[in-house]
Short mmCIF file of all heavy atoms in Angstrom, two decimals:
data_model
loop_
_atom_site.label_atom_id
_atom_site.label_comp_id
_atom_site.label_asym_id
_atom_site.label_seq_id
_atom_site.Cartn_x
_atom_site.Cartn_y
_atom_site.Cartn_z
N PRO A 39 94.90 91.74 82.79
CA PRO A 39 94.31 92.11 84.10
C PRO A 39 94.99 91.43 85.28
O PRO A 39 95.23 92.05 86.31
CB PRO A 39 92.86 91.71 83.96
CG PRO A 39 92.64 91.71 82.48
CD PRO A 39 93.88 91.23 81.86
N MET A 40 95.30 90.13 85.17
CA MET A 40 95.91 89.43 86.28
C MET A 40 97.38 89.80 86.44
O MET A 40 97.93 89.91 87.53
CB MET A 40 95.75 87.93 86.11
CG MET A 40 94.46 87.40 86.61
SD MET A 40 94.23 87.61 88.43
CE MET A 40 95.38 86.40 89.01
N VAL A 41 98.09 89.99 85.31
CA VAL A 41 99.47 90.45 85.39
C VAL A 41 99.52 91.76 86.16
O VAL A 41 100.41 91.99 87.00
CB VAL A 41 100.08 90.55 83.99
CG1 VAL A 41 101.42 91.31 84.03
CG2 VAL A 41 100.28 89.18 83.38
N ASP A 42 98.62 92.71 85.81
CA ASP A 42 98.57 94.01 86.47
C ASP A 42 98.31 93.85 87.95
O ASP A 42 98.94 94.56 88.78
CB ASP A 42 97.52 94.85 85.79
CG ASP A 42 97.46 96.28 86.38
OD1 ASP A 42 98.42 97.05 86.18
OD2 ASP A 42 96.44 96.61 86.99
N TYR A 43 97.40 92.98 88.33
CA TYR A 43 97.04 92.79 89.72
C TYR A 43 98.22 92.15 90.50
O TYR A 43 98.66 92.66 91.53
CB TYR A 43 95.84 91.89 89.84
CG TYR A 43 95.27 91.68 91.20
CD1 TYR A 43 95.53 92.54 92.27
CD2 TYR A 43 94.43 90.57 91.45
CE1 TYR A 43 94.99 92.33 93.55
CE2 TYR A 43 93.92 90.33 92.73
CZ TYR A 43 94.20 91.22 93.75
OH TYR A 43 93.66 90.99 94.99
N VAL A 44 98.76 91.07 89.97
CA VAL A 44 99.83 90.37 90.67
C VAL A 44 101.08 91.27 90.73
O VAL A 44 101.77 91.27 91.79
CB VAL A 44 100.15 89.04 89.97
CG1 VAL A 44 101.36 88.34 90.66
CG2 VAL A 44 98.93 88.10 89.98
N ASN A 45 101.35 92.01 89.70
CA ASN A 45 102.47 92.94 89.72
C ASN A 45 102.40 93.90 90.89
O ASN A 45 103.38 94.22 91.56
CB ASN A 45 102.54 93.68 88.38
CG ASN A 45 103.79 94.53 88.21
OD1 ASN A 45 103.95 95.20 87.17
ND2 ASN A 45 104.68 94.52 89.15
N ARG A 46 101.18 94.35 91.18
CA ARG A 46 101.02 95.33 92.27
C ARG A 46 101.15 94.67 93.63
O ARG A 46 101.85 95.16 94.50
CB ARG A 46 99.62 96.00 92.15
CG ARG A 46 99.51 96.86 90.90
CD ARG A 46 98.08 97.40 90.67
NE ARG A 46 98.00 97.95 89.33
CZ ARG A 46 97.55 99.19 89.07
NH1 ARG A 46 97.13 99.97 90.05
NH2 ARG A 46 97.51 99.59 87.82
N VAL A 47 100.53 93.51 93.81
CA VAL A 47 100.56 92.89 95.14
C VAL A 47 101.92 92.31 95.50
O VAL A 47 102.32 92.30 96.65
CB VAL A 47 99.43 91.86 95.33
CG1 VAL A 47 98.07 92.56 95.26
CG2 VAL A 47 99.52 90.71 94.40
N VAL A 48 102.68 91.82 94.48
CA VAL A 48 104.02 91.31 94.83
C VAL A 48 104.98 92.39 95.29
O VAL A 48 105.95 92.13 95.97
CB VAL A 48 104.65 90.49 93.70
CG1 VAL A 48 103.87 89.27 93.33
CG2 VAL A 48 104.94 91.33 92.46
N GLN A 49 104.63 93.62 94.95
CA GLN A 49 105.48 94.75 95.37
C GLN A 49 105.37 94.97 96.90
O GLN A 49 106.28 95.54 97.48
CB GLN A 49 105.15 96.02 94.62
CG GLN A 49 105.47 95.97 93.14
CD GLN A 49 105.43 97.31 92.48
OE1 GLN A 49 105.37 98.38 93.10
NE2 GLN A 49 105.47 97.34 91.15
N VAL A 50 104.31 94.50 97.49
CA VAL A 50 104.12 94.71 98.94
C VAL A 50 105.20 94.00 99.70
O VAL A 50 105.99 94.61 100.44
CB VAL A 50 102.71 94.25 99.39
CG1 VAL A 50 102.61 94.35 100.92
CG2 VAL A 50 101.64 95.09 98.70
N ALA A 51 105.30 92.69 99.52
CA ALA A 51 106.39 91.95 100.18
C ALA A 51 107.76 92.27 99.56
O ALA A 51 108.78 92.17 100.20
CB ALA A 51 106.14 90.44 100.11
N GLY A 52 107.74 92.63 98.24
CA GLY A 52 109.00 93.02 97.61
C GLY A 52 109.72 94.12 98.33
O GLY A 52 110.95 94.18 98.32
N LYS A 53 108.96 95.01 98.97
CA LYS A 53 109.59 96.13 99.66
C LYS A 53 110.56 95.66 100.73
O LYS A 53 111.57 96.30 101.03
CB LYS A 53 108.53 97.03 100.33
CG LYS A 53 107.52 97.64 99.33
CD LYS A 53 108.16 98.63 98.39
CE LYS A 53 107.07 99.35 97.57
NZ LYS A 53 107.64 100.24 96.54
N TYR A 54 110.26 94.46 101.36
CA TYR A 54 111.17 93.97 102.40
C TYR A 54 112.56 93.62 101.85
O TYR A 54 113.56 93.69 102.58
CB TYR A 54 110.58 92.73 103.05
CG TYR A 54 109.38 92.98 103.91
CD1 TYR A 54 108.15 92.39 103.61
CD2 TYR A 54 109.46 93.75 105.05
CE1 TYR A 54 107.03 92.59 104.39
CE2 TYR A 54 108.34 93.94 105.85
CZ TYR A 54 107.14 93.37 105.52
OH TYR A 54 106.05 93.59 106.32
N THR A 55 112.62 93.25 100.56
CA THR A 55 113.93 92.91 99.98
C THR A 55 114.87 94.16 99.89
O THR A 55 116.06 94.02 99.78
CB THR A 55 113.80 92.27 98.59
OG1 THR A 55 113.24 93.19 97.67
CG2 THR A 55 112.88 91.03 98.66
N LEU A 56 114.24 95.35 99.95
CA LEU A 56 115.06 96.55 99.91
C LEU A 56 115.78 96.79 101.26
O LEU A 56 116.71 97.56 101.33
CB LEU A 56 114.17 97.76 99.62
CG LEU A 56 113.56 97.80 98.22
CD1 LEU A 56 112.55 98.92 98.06
CD2 LEU A 56 114.65 97.92 97.14
N ASP A 57 115.30 96.06 102.30
CA ASP A 57 116.04 96.10 103.61
C ASP A 57 117.33 95.28 103.52
O ASP A 57 118.19 95.44 104.41
CB ASP A 57 115.16 95.56 104.72
CG ASP A 57 113.88 96.35 104.96
OD1 ASP A 57 113.93 97.56 104.66
OD2 ASP A 57 112.91 95.77 105.43
N GLU A 58 117.46 94.42 102.53
CA GLU A 58 118.62 93.54 102.43
C GLU A 58 119.82 94.33 101.84
O GLU A 58 119.64 95.32 101.15
CB GLU A 58 118.30 92.37 101.53
CG GLU A 58 117.15 91.51 102.00
CD GLU A 58 117.46 90.89 103.36
OE1 GLU A 58 118.32 90.01 103.40
OE2 GLU A 58 116.80 91.28 104.34
N PRO A 59 121.03 93.83 102.11
CA PRO A 59 122.22 94.50 101.51
C PRO A 59 122.11 94.54 99.99
O PRO A 59 121.75 93.53 99.38
CB PRO A 59 123.41 93.64 101.97
CG PRO A 59 122.90 92.96 103.22
CD PRO A 59 121.43 92.74 103.01
N PHE A 60 122.46 95.66 99.43
CA PHE A 60 122.41 95.82 97.98
C PHE A 60 123.35 94.87 97.27
O PHE A 60 124.53 94.73 97.66
CB PHE A 60 122.77 97.25 97.58
CG PHE A 60 122.84 97.48 96.08
CD1 PHE A 60 121.71 97.59 95.33
CD2 PHE A 60 124.09 97.58 95.47
CE1 PHE A 60 121.78 97.81 93.93
CE2 PHE A 60 124.16 97.79 94.08
CZ PHE A 60 123.03 97.89 93.32
N GLU A 61 122.85 94.16 96.27
CA GLU A 61 123.69 93.29 95.43
C GLU A 61 123.70 93.86 94.04
O GLU A 61 122.67 94.33 93.53
CB GLU A 61 123.11 91.90 95.44
CG GLU A 61 123.96 90.90 94.64
CD GLU A 61 123.37 89.47 94.68
OE1 GLU A 61 122.59 89.16 95.59
OE2 GLU A 61 123.70 88.72 93.77
N VAL A 62 124.86 93.87 93.38
CA VAL A 62 124.98 94.50 92.11
C VAL A 62 123.83 94.12 91.17
O VAL A 62 123.44 92.96 91.10
CB VAL A 62 126.36 94.11 91.43
CG1 VAL A 62 126.48 92.63 91.20
CG2 VAL A 62 126.58 94.89 90.12
N GLY A 63 123.30 95.13 90.51
CA GLY A 63 122.17 94.94 89.60
C GLY A 63 120.86 94.57 90.27
O GLY A 63 119.95 94.09 89.65
N TRP A 64 120.76 94.89 91.57
CA TRP A 64 119.57 94.62 92.37
C TRP A 64 119.29 93.11 92.48
O TRP A 64 118.15 92.65 92.53
CB TRP A 64 118.31 95.33 91.78
CG TRP A 64 118.37 96.83 91.93
CD1 TRP A 64 118.57 97.72 90.95
CD2 TRP A 64 118.29 97.55 93.14
NE1 TRP A 64 118.61 99.00 91.47
CE2 TRP A 64 118.43 98.90 92.83
CE3 TRP A 64 118.08 97.16 94.50
CZ2 TRP A 64 118.39 99.92 93.77
CZ3 TRP A 64 118.07 98.20 95.45
CH2 TRP A 64 118.21 99.54 95.06
N GLY A 65 120.34 92.33 92.57
CA GLY A 65 120.19 90.90 92.77
C GLY A 65 119.51 90.59 94.11
O GLY A 65 118.95 89.49 94.28
N ASN A 66 119.52 91.50 95.06
CA ASN A 66 118.91 91.26 96.37
C ASN A 66 117.38 91.27 96.36
O ASN A 66 116.74 90.83 97.30
CB ASN A 66 119.38 92.31 97.40
CG ASN A 66 119.19 93.74 96.91
OD1 ASN A 66 119.77 94.14 95.92
ND2 ASN A 66 118.40 94.51 97.64
N ILE A 67 116.77 91.79 95.27
CA ILE A 67 115.31 91.96 95.31
C ILE A 67 114.54 90.85 94.59
O ILE A 67 113.29 90.83 94.69
CB ILE A 67 114.86 93.31 94.73
CG1 ILE A 67 114.97 93.29 93.20
CG2 ILE A 67 115.67 94.47 95.32
CD1 ILE A 67 114.22 94.45 92.53
N VAL A 68 115.20 89.94 93.91
CA VAL A 68 114.46 89.00 93.03
C VAL A 68 113.64 88.04 93.86
O VAL A 68 114.06 87.58 94.95
CB VAL A 68 115.41 88.24 92.09
CG1 VAL A 68 116.08 89.20 91.12
CG2 VAL A 68 116.41 87.38 92.80
N LEU A 69 112.48 87.66 93.31
CA LEU A 69 111.59 86.70 93.94
C LEU A 69 111.82 85.34 93.25
O LEU A 69 111.95 85.25 92.02
CB LEU A 69 110.13 87.13 93.73
CG LEU A 69 109.75 88.51 94.24
CD1 LEU A 69 108.25 88.78 93.96
CD2 LEU A 69 110.01 88.65 95.72
N ASP A 70 111.87 84.29 94.04
CA ASP A 70 112.06 82.95 93.51
C ASP A 70 110.79 82.43 92.92
O ASP A 70 109.67 82.69 93.45
CB ASP A 70 112.52 82.02 94.64
CG ASP A 70 113.84 82.38 95.22
OD1 ASP A 70 114.73 82.83 94.44
OD2 ASP A 70 114.07 82.27 96.43
N VAL A 71 110.88 81.65 91.81
CA VAL A 71 109.79 80.93 91.26
C VAL A 71 109.70 79.58 91.99
O VAL A 71 110.62 78.77 91.92
CB VAL A 71 109.93 80.72 89.75
CG1 VAL A 71 108.72 79.97 89.19
CG2 VAL A 71 110.12 82.07 89.04
N THR A 72 108.59 79.36 92.70
CA THR A 72 108.43 78.17 93.56
C THR A 72 107.46 77.19 92.86
O THR A 72 106.92 77.47 91.79
CB THR A 72 107.85 78.55 94.89
OG1 THR A 72 106.43 78.88 94.72
CG2 THR A 72 108.55 79.76 95.51
N PRO A 73 107.29 76.00 93.47
CA PRO A 73 106.36 75.04 92.85
C PRO A 73 104.90 75.56 92.74
O PRO A 73 104.11 74.98 92.00
CB PRO A 73 106.44 73.84 93.79
CG PRO A 73 107.80 73.88 94.37
CD PRO A 73 108.07 75.37 94.57
N ARG A 74 104.53 76.61 93.47
CA ARG A 74 103.17 77.08 93.41
C ARG A 74 103.06 78.60 93.26
O ARG A 74 101.94 79.16 93.32
CB ARG A 74 102.36 76.62 94.65
CG ARG A 74 102.33 75.11 94.78
CD ARG A 74 101.26 74.66 95.80
NE ARG A 74 99.89 74.84 95.33
CZ ARG A 74 99.28 74.05 94.44
NH1 ARG A 74 99.92 73.06 93.89
NH2 ARG A 74 98.03 74.31 94.08
N GLY A 75 104.15 79.30 93.08
CA GLY A 75 104.03 80.76 92.96
C GLY A 75 105.37 81.46 92.98
O GLY A 75 106.33 81.02 92.32
N LEU A 76 105.40 82.55 93.73
CA LEU A 76 106.59 83.40 93.83
C LEU A 76 106.88 83.66 95.30
O LEU A 76 105.95 83.87 96.11
CB LEU A 76 106.38 84.75 93.11
CG LEU A 76 106.03 84.69 91.63
CD1 LEU A 76 105.68 86.05 91.12
CD2 LEU A 76 107.16 84.07 90.81
N SER A 77 108.18 83.70 95.69
CA SER A 77 108.50 83.87 97.08
C SER A 77 109.68 84.81 97.26
O SER A 77 110.63 84.79 96.44
CB SER A 77 108.82 82.51 97.71
OG SER A 77 109.18 82.65 99.08
N THR A 78 109.63 85.58 98.35
CA THR A 78 110.81 86.30 98.75
C THR A 78 111.89 85.33 99.23
O THR A 78 111.58 84.16 99.57
CB THR A 78 110.55 87.24 99.93
OG1 THR A 78 110.26 86.49 101.12
CG2 THR A 78 109.39 88.17 99.63
N PRO A 79 113.15 85.72 99.29
CA PRO A 79 114.17 84.89 99.99
C PRO A 79 113.83 84.93 101.49
O PRO A 79 112.94 85.65 101.90
CB PRO A 79 115.46 85.58 99.67
CG PRO A 79 115.10 87.00 99.35
CD PRO A 79 113.74 86.94 98.72
N THR A 80 114.58 84.16 102.27
CA THR A 80 114.43 84.24 103.68
C THR A 80 114.91 85.59 104.18
O THR A 80 116.00 86.02 103.83
CB THR A 80 115.23 83.11 104.41
OG1 THR A 80 114.70 81.84 103.97
CG2 THR A 80 115.12 83.23 105.89
N LEU A 81 114.07 86.28 104.93
CA LEU A 81 114.36 87.62 105.39
C LEU A 81 114.54 87.62 106.90
O LEU A 81 113.80 86.95 107.62
CB LEU A 81 113.24 88.55 105.01
CG LEU A 81 112.92 88.63 103.52
CD1 LEU A 81 111.56 89.26 103.25
CD2 LEU A 81 114.02 89.39 102.78
N ARG A 82 115.52 88.33 107.38
CA ARG A 82 115.84 88.36 108.80
C ARG A 82 115.80 89.79 109.35
O ARG A 82 116.67 90.57 109.01
CB ARG A 82 117.19 87.70 109.04
CG ARG A 82 117.26 86.24 108.67
CD ARG A 82 118.63 85.63 108.74
NE ARG A 82 118.60 84.22 108.39
CZ ARG A 82 118.70 83.73 107.14
NH1 ARG A 82 118.81 84.57 106.11
NH2 ARG A 82 118.63 82.43 106.92
N GLN A 83 114.78 90.06 110.14
CA GLN A 83 114.71 91.32 110.87
C GLN A 83 115.13 91.04 112.29
O GLN A 83 115.27 89.91 112.72
CB GLN A 83 113.28 91.88 110.84
CG GLN A 83 112.78 92.29 109.48
CD GLN A 83 111.38 92.83 109.60
OE1 GLN A 83 110.81 93.00 110.65
NE2 GLN A 83 110.80 93.12 108.41
N GLN A 84 115.32 92.11 113.05
CA GLN A 84 115.64 91.91 114.42
C GLN A 84 114.52 91.22 115.12
O GLN A 84 113.40 91.72 115.24
CB GLN A 84 115.98 93.28 115.09
CG GLN A 84 116.47 93.13 116.52
CD GLN A 84 116.88 94.49 117.07
OE1 GLN A 84 116.83 95.51 116.41
NE2 GLN A 84 117.35 94.47 118.32
N GLY A 85 114.76 90.02 115.61
CA GLY A 85 113.78 89.29 116.42
C GLY A 85 112.86 88.38 115.63
O GLY A 85 112.09 87.63 116.23
N VAL A 86 112.90 88.37 114.29
CA VAL A 86 112.01 87.54 113.52
C VAL A 86 112.65 87.17 112.17
O VAL A 86 113.30 88.03 111.55
CB VAL A 86 110.62 88.20 113.33
CG1 VAL A 86 110.74 89.48 112.53
CG2 VAL A 86 109.64 87.25 112.65
N THR A 87 112.45 85.95 111.76
CA THR A 87 112.90 85.47 110.45
C THR A 87 111.67 85.00 109.68
O THR A 87 110.84 84.25 110.24
CB THR A 87 113.91 84.29 110.63
OG1 THR A 87 115.04 84.77 111.37
CG2 THR A 87 114.40 83.75 109.27
N PHE A 88 111.54 85.39 108.43
CA PHE A 88 110.29 85.09 107.70
C PHE A 88 110.50 85.05 106.19
O PHE A 88 111.53 85.52 105.66
CB PHE A 88 109.24 86.13 108.03
CG PHE A 88 109.48 87.52 107.54
CD1 PHE A 88 108.89 88.01 106.39
CD2 PHE A 88 110.41 88.36 108.22
CE1 PHE A 88 109.12 89.31 105.95
CE2 PHE A 88 110.63 89.66 107.77
CZ PHE A 88 110.01 90.09 106.65
N THR A 89 109.50 84.49 105.53
CA THR A 89 109.41 84.59 104.06
C THR A 89 107.94 84.95 103.76
O THR A 89 107.03 84.76 104.55
CB THR A 89 109.71 83.24 103.36
OG1 THR A 89 108.78 82.25 103.80
CG2 THR A 89 111.14 82.78 103.65
N VAL A 90 107.73 85.47 102.53
CA VAL A 90 106.40 85.78 102.05
C VAL A 90 106.26 85.04 100.72
O VAL A 90 107.06 85.24 99.78
CB VAL A 90 106.17 87.26 101.85
CG1 VAL A 90 104.71 87.49 101.36
CG2 VAL A 90 106.40 88.03 103.16
#
Side-chain angles (χ1 to χ4, degrees):
M40 275 297 288
V41 168
D42 183 65
Y43 184 22
V44 177
N45 188 181
R46 294 173 193 231
V47 296
V48 297
Q49 292 193 15
V50 174
K53 300 295 187 184
Y54 289 119
T55 66
L56 295 173
D57 296 334
E58 300 298 291
F60 174 76
E61 183 179 338
V62 62
W64 292 109
N66 53 297
I67 75 164
V68 298
L69 304 178
D70 296 323
V71 181
T72 74
R74 300 193 71 77
L76 303 173
S77 178
T78 68
T80 298
L81 302 164
R82 297 173 177 87
Q83 295 180 6
Q84 186 173 0
V86 62
T87 300
F88 67 101
T89 62
V90 181

